[in-house]
Each structure stands twice: as C-alpha cells, then as structure tokens.
Amino acid sequence: MNDLVRQHTALGETDLEWLHLLVSEWQLLSDLSFADLVLWVPTLDGTRYVSVAQMRPNTGPTSYQDDMVGHLVPRGRRPLLDAALDEGRIVREGDPEWREEVPVRVESIPVRREGRVLGVIARNTNLLTVRTPSRLELTYLQSASDLAQMIAAGAFPFPGQQVDMDASPRVGDGLIRLDADGVVTYASPNALSAYHRLGLASDLVGQDLGATTAELAPSRGPVDEALVKLASGWAPRETEVEGNGGVIQLRAIPLKPKGTRIGSLVLCRDVTELRRRERELITKDATIREIHHRVKNNLQTVAALLRLQARRMDSPQGREALNEAVRRVGSIAIVHETLSQNLDERVEFDEIADRVIAMVSEISPGRVDCRRTGRFGILDAEVATPLSMVLTEILQNALEHAFTQGERGTVEVSALRSGTGRKDGRLLITVLDDGNGLPEGFDPQRAGNLGLQIVRTLVEGELGGTFDMVPAEPRGTKVVLDLPSSPQK
C-alpha cells in the first residue's frame, strides 16, 4: 500500500498512516457487512482511482475471485465512487452488478480524515446466497451501517488505537450489542457461551454488561470501576476478564454514527484454553532455565574440584592436563549459563565466543593478543555446546604450541554466516595465528593430540562439518571450520 499511495496519489505521510490504521481495523466492517471491501484512492492528476487495499469477509462468500490491489480505473467508469468522493456521503443507489453470473450489490463509503475525503471504500456484497436475515445478521448489518457512517464522518478508526487483529477478538468469536446505557440488546451464541464460561447462569439480553461482568470477575478493588466502564462500551479499550476458571477477552467499540453515542459493540473471545497452554509453556520454560542453571552450577563445582586437584599435583604434566579439563568444563558451563537466561534453546554465540577467548587467554596473559572479528549470530543449543568446546580446544592448542616462551603474537577468530535461513545456513570459522607454524609433515586428520581428537570428533560427528589446519602466509597456522548453522538431524 505504501508504494501504491506514494507512486500514484497526492496523499501525505499522515494521510497514509490514517489509511494504515483503517486497514488494520476494517476486517471488522467486512465481517459485519458480509462483504468484500476495496479501498480506492484518487490519483495525483484526479483522472483515475487506484485500489490500494482489499479485504474479504470471514462471514460470507467473496465477490472478487481475483486480487484487486494495484488496479487503476478512470473516473466515470464507476459512478458510485465519483459520487462518494465528490459529495462526501455514503452512496447506495444503483442496480446490482453481475460478475461471472453472480449478482453483487455495490456501496461506496467515503474515507474522511480531518474534514478531507482521502478515498472511497467500495463495499461489495455477494447476493447469490441472500435469504431472510436472522436476528444475528440484522444486528451485524446494523452495526456495519453504524461503522460505515463513522468512517464517512472521520470518527473511525480511533486515533492511537491500532489493533492487532491476530490477537484481538473477531466478529465470529462473539458479539454483544449494547444500547446507550450499556444494556445488552443482543448477544450472539458464541458471546453467550463465553459468559457462561465465566459462570453466568442466565441470558445476557436486558442486563447491564458492565455490572454483570464485574460480578463475574473476582473482586479487584478500584479496578472494578474501570472494568465496568470498559464492559459498558464507553471507550475503545481491550481487556481480559477471569472468573470461575474461565478467561474471556473483551474489546469495546463505541458507536457514534452521527456524532452522538448510541451504543457500543463488544467483541468477546473465550481464551481459557489458550491462557492455560501459555501458563504451561511459561512453567515449562522456567523449568528448562532452572535445569540449565543447575547444570551450570554443577559444572562449575566439577571445575573447582579439578582445579583444587591440580594444585595438589606434583607432576607438571598432570597439573596441565587437569587445567585443560577445567577449561573444557568451563566452556560448557558458559553455554548453560547463557541458556539459563533465555526463553528458548537458542543463544547469541558472540558473547559465548568472547568469554571462551577470555578464559583461554589466561594461559598466556599479556603475551598473545586474542580477538574476534565477524559475527557467529544466534545458534541452537545443540550447535553452541559442542562449538564452544571446539573453539576452546583450538585456541588452547594455538596458545600452547604456536608461540615460544615469552614470544608475543596474535590469534584472531573470525566468523562468517552464509545462507538465507536456518536450514540451509552455513557458518565458516577461521582461527589464524602468526606463530611458528605447523611441524614438518604434520597431518591434522591423524594427529594423536587429545585436543585435536576432540575437535575432529565434535566437528565431523556432532556438528556435521569439516575441519582443517593449514600453514598461513607469511607465517603461522590457519584453522578452518565449515559447519551447518543449525543442528543436523
């Protein structure tokens, strides 16, 4: 819609925002009307109309099989559009149109903002299934007429009240019509069922909805007054009401077709099961985070015991082996600590990589500069845990073997993500040092070093990637890891 409005019309950004607000709400008008809606805006030169948005009803058959957005029609071809735009009124005159052997009644509703008509909504009703309307359908149509008059007067949608239609109640979920005093004049079967879920034992018609809703909800002190006002439809608001083990979502829409409030629409949806599942998920997420937290604590305890044991050993080789084990355990603990703070099983690995680099750098403080370039991005826990160990082993190996005692140098870890999605994404990791390089005849695929065995096993077995070590130019060693960025099933 942005592109069409900016390319073909003279509307400004504030007008465009109003159209976006209207389009976010007009599913309500479409469902109440049982009709398709097409928004037409006059072009810059005033000789044509361009359709910038379209909506089909959930409550009836469509009148348009094809998408109308982007169509251009000249003035004069659709007289109802011309009359609505020029006269600023809702136009219903004219015989039904026939489209592919389907009779369609067309009405035009001017879209007004601050006294200016920005465009016209064409309301197209498929008449093929028209029958004697029920009480529900009559209430829908009357409510649609009231909303159409509010749009034509610039009183709907409500400024600052943009609604998420995926989360808000819809017409089919449950509709209650109130008079000016907040008394129920009609309640759809779904709306009545929702209130029965709250504990209502009688019918809704004839009752003061605000007072009834407050009685069904647990006492919440001063909040009751706000709930009564909202359920009475005095202001455009949304809320949830919980009582008797049930939860319903309410949305109030004041109706002021001629500037004076004549009543309200209240849409309601039974969200009891949805909220119950959400609570279960929250409990599950909290349990998973607590498990990660306890695993982290246990790993830190193991690391502390290994560190204590290393201090008591007389053999330098044994002491160093235990210190390496401490760093391996620590790298896993870092991942679990990060997971304990997240809502899902995915982590921002750049932070983990930086902490691993800082931990391993303690081997040679001040001598070798370790740094990271590029971004690992967000990784699944199934990738992050083995990758943190791989990174620890490679860095540990570089700091221990690439430089002679007291020699200064640099180790750089770089990461590059490729691919368009999680499933086909790749992660290319390079660890480059400017040390002494590889020994003559060194084969990284067969070297018996424990650290390299761990790297090969994790990279090729768990991560499904490739690993190689090659001489760097002009000196040093380059380790290259090519991995999928998502777990391999």
Side-chain angles (χ1 to χ4, degrees), residues 146 150 155 158 176-185 208-210 228-237 252-266:
D146 294 335
M150 292 172 65
F158 303 108
I176 301 171
R177 176 81 187 224
L178 309 179
D179 64 15
D181 297 321
V183 175
V184 178
T185 60
D208 185 309
L209 187 66
V228 170
K229 189 172 182 179
L230 186 147
S232 298
W234 286 95
R237 294 286 187 275
I253 304 166
L255 297 176
K256 303 176 181 178
K258 296 182 180 179
T260 302
R261 181 175 172 275
I262 63 167
S264 307
L265 284 181
V266 177

Side-chain angles (χ1 to χ4, degrees), residues 32-309:
L32 290 171
S33 304
F34 309 98
D36 291 72
L37 306 179
V38 180
L39 178 57
W40 296 93
V41 180
T43 57
L44 184 61
D45 58 9
T47 61
R48 296 181 295 175
Y49 298 96
V50 58
S51 58
V52 298
Q54 179 178 359
M55 178 58 65
R56 291 183 171 90
N58 294 316
T59 52
T62 183
S63 302
Y64 286 110
Q65 298 299 326
D66 300 325
D67 191 354
M68 294 296 296
V69 175
H71 282 216
L72 290 161
V73 297
R75 276 184 65 98
R77 179 173 297 178
R78 302 196 177 185
L80 297 186
L81 293 182
D82 298 338
L85 182 68
D86 297 339
E87 301 173 22
R89 65 180 180 89
I90 299 175
V91 182
R92 296 189 175 92
E93 299 88 356
D95 297 327
E97 297 181 3
W98 286 83
R99 300 175 189 162
E100 299 179 358
E101 299 184 353
V102 176
V104 176
R105 183 177 65 245
V106 181
E107 304 170 70
S108 295
I109 305 166
V111 177
R112 193 183 303 273
R113 174 182 174 269
E114 296 181 352
R116 296 168 46 241
V117 177
L118 307 182
V120 179
I121 295 176
R123 181 163 57 176
N124 304 270
T125 306
N126 187 326
L127 300 178
L128 198 60
T129 58
V130 169
R131 61 185 185 278
T132 303
S134 64
R135 178 73 188 280
L136 180 144
E137 291 169 328
L138 287 173
T139 303
Y140 276 22
L141 293 172
Q142 180 57 55
S143 302
S145 176
D146 294 335
L147 281 179
Q149 292 182 58
M150 292 172 65
I151 291 173
F156 187 84
F158 303 108
Q161 293 290 325
Q162 187 159 356
V163 174
D164 181 2
M165 290 305 298
D166 292 332
S168 294
R170 297 196 176 197
V171 170
D173 295 323
L175 179 141
I176 301 171
R177 176 81 187 224
L178 309 179
D179 64 15
D181 297 321
V183 175
V184 178
T185 60
Y186 176 79
S188 71
N190 284 347
L192 190 58
S193 296
Y195 267 81
H196 284 166
R197 191 71 177 263
L198 289 181
L200 180 70
S202 60
D203 196 0
L204 270 174
V205 175
Q207 298 202 37
D208 185 309
L209 187 66
T212 300
T213 304
E215 289 175 4
L216 295 173
S219 177
R220 294 178 292 177
V223 182
D224 283 345
E225 184 177 344
L227 178 61
V228 170
K229 189 172 182 179
L230 186 147
S232 298
W234 286 95
R237 294 286 187 275
E238 285 192 37
T239 192
E240 285 189 2
V241 180
E242 185 170 357
N244 193 42
V247 184
I248 65 171
Q249 188 178 15
L250 298 178
R251 182 190 175 197
I253 304 166
L255 297 176
K256 303 176 181 178
K258 296 182 180 179
T260 302
R261 181 175 172 275
I262 63 167
S264 307
L265 284 181
V266 177
L267 304 181
C268 59
R269 173 193 292 169
D270 184 350
V271 292
T272 305
E273 293 304 315
L274 178 62
R275 296 296 175 258
R276 182 185 62 80
R277 288 195 295 269
E278 287 178 352
R279 291 182 184 122
E280 289 177 352
L281 289 174
I282 290 172
T283 302
K284 179 181 177 182
D285 289 341
T287 302
I288 291 173
R289 290 199 299 273
E290 178 62 22
I291 289 172
H292 284 303
H293 181 71
R294 294 189 181 188
V295 170
K296 182 263 295 184
N297 288 343
N298 291 338
L299 289 173
Q300 288 181 336
T301 301
V302 172
L305 292 172
L306 291 173
R307 194 178 295 112
L308 182 63
Q309 183 68 38

Side-chain angles (χ1 to χ4, degrees), residues 208-438:
D208 185 309
L209 187 66
T212 300
T213 304
E215 289 175 4
L216 295 173
S219 177
R220 294 178 292 177
V223 182
D224 283 345
E225 184 177 344
L227 178 61
V228 170
K229 189 172 182 179
L230 186 147
S232 298
W234 286 95
R237 294 286 187 275
E238 285 192 37
T239 192
E240 285 189 2
V241 180
E242 185 170 357
N244 193 42
V247 184
I248 65 171
Q249 188 178 15
L250 298 178
R251 182 190 175 197
I253 304 166
L255 297 176
K256 303 176 181 178
K258 296 182 180 179
T260 302
R261 181 175 172 275
I262 63 167
S264 307
L265 284 181
V266 177
L267 304 181
C268 59
R269 173 193 292 169
D270 184 350
V271 292
T272 305
E273 293 304 315
L274 178 62
R275 296 296 175 258
R276 182 185 62 80
R277 288 195 295 269
E278 287 178 352
R279 291 182 184 122
E280 289 177 352
L281 289 174
I282 290 172
T283 302
K284 179 181 177 182
D285 289 341
T287 302
I288 291 173
R289 290 199 299 273
E290 178 62 22
I291 289 172
H292 284 303
H293 181 71
R294 294 189 181 188
V295 170
K296 182 263 295 184
N297 288 343
N298 291 338
L299 289 173
Q300 288 181 336
T301 301
V302 172
L305 292 172
L306 291 173
R307 194 178 295 112
L308 182 63
Q309 183 68 38
R311 290 172 183 166
R312 293 173 175 263
M313 293 199 69
D314 296 328
S315 168
Q317 292 178 335
R319 187 183 307 114
E320 182 55 33
L322 286 176
N323 285 332
E324 288 181 1
V326 168
R327 287 188 285 272
R328 288 167 183 147
V329 172
S331 66
I332 302 174
I334 290 172
V335 177
H336 283 283
E337 181 180 5
T338 306
L339 287 168
S340 70
Q341 300 167 359
N342 289 354
L343 294 176
D344 56 18
E345 291 290 288
R346 308 191 74 205
V347 295
E348 176 63 66
F349 196 80
D350 295 313
E351 178 186 350
I352 293 175
D354 291 340
R355 294 180 63 179
V356 167
I357 291 171
M359 178 182 67
V360 179
S361 296
E362 296 175 359
I363 298 175
S364 54
R367 288 194 303 112
V368 180
D369 178 28
C370 291
R371 58 175 179 261
R372 172 181 63 86
T373 61
R375 293 194 71 250
F376 289 86
I378 297 176
L379 299 176
D380 293 305
E382 296 173 64
V383 174
T385 302
L387 182 57
S388 67
M389 285 196 66
V390 168
L391 195 57
T392 300
E393 297 298 333
I394 294 173
L395 289 171
Q396 197 165 269
N397 188 71
L399 292 174
E400 287 181 352
H401 303 294
F403 305 96
T404 56
Q405 186 68 31
E407 184 181 8
R408 294 187 175 278
T410 302
V411 177
E412 181 178 288
V413 180
S414 65
L416 177 66
R417 293 286 289 265
S418 63
T420 57
R422 288 178 61 185
K423 293 184 178 180
D424 60 352
R426 304 291 297 181
L427 179 59
L428 182 66
I429 304 169
T430 304
V431 181
L432 179 66
D433 68 67
D434 56 1
N436 299 320
L438 297 172

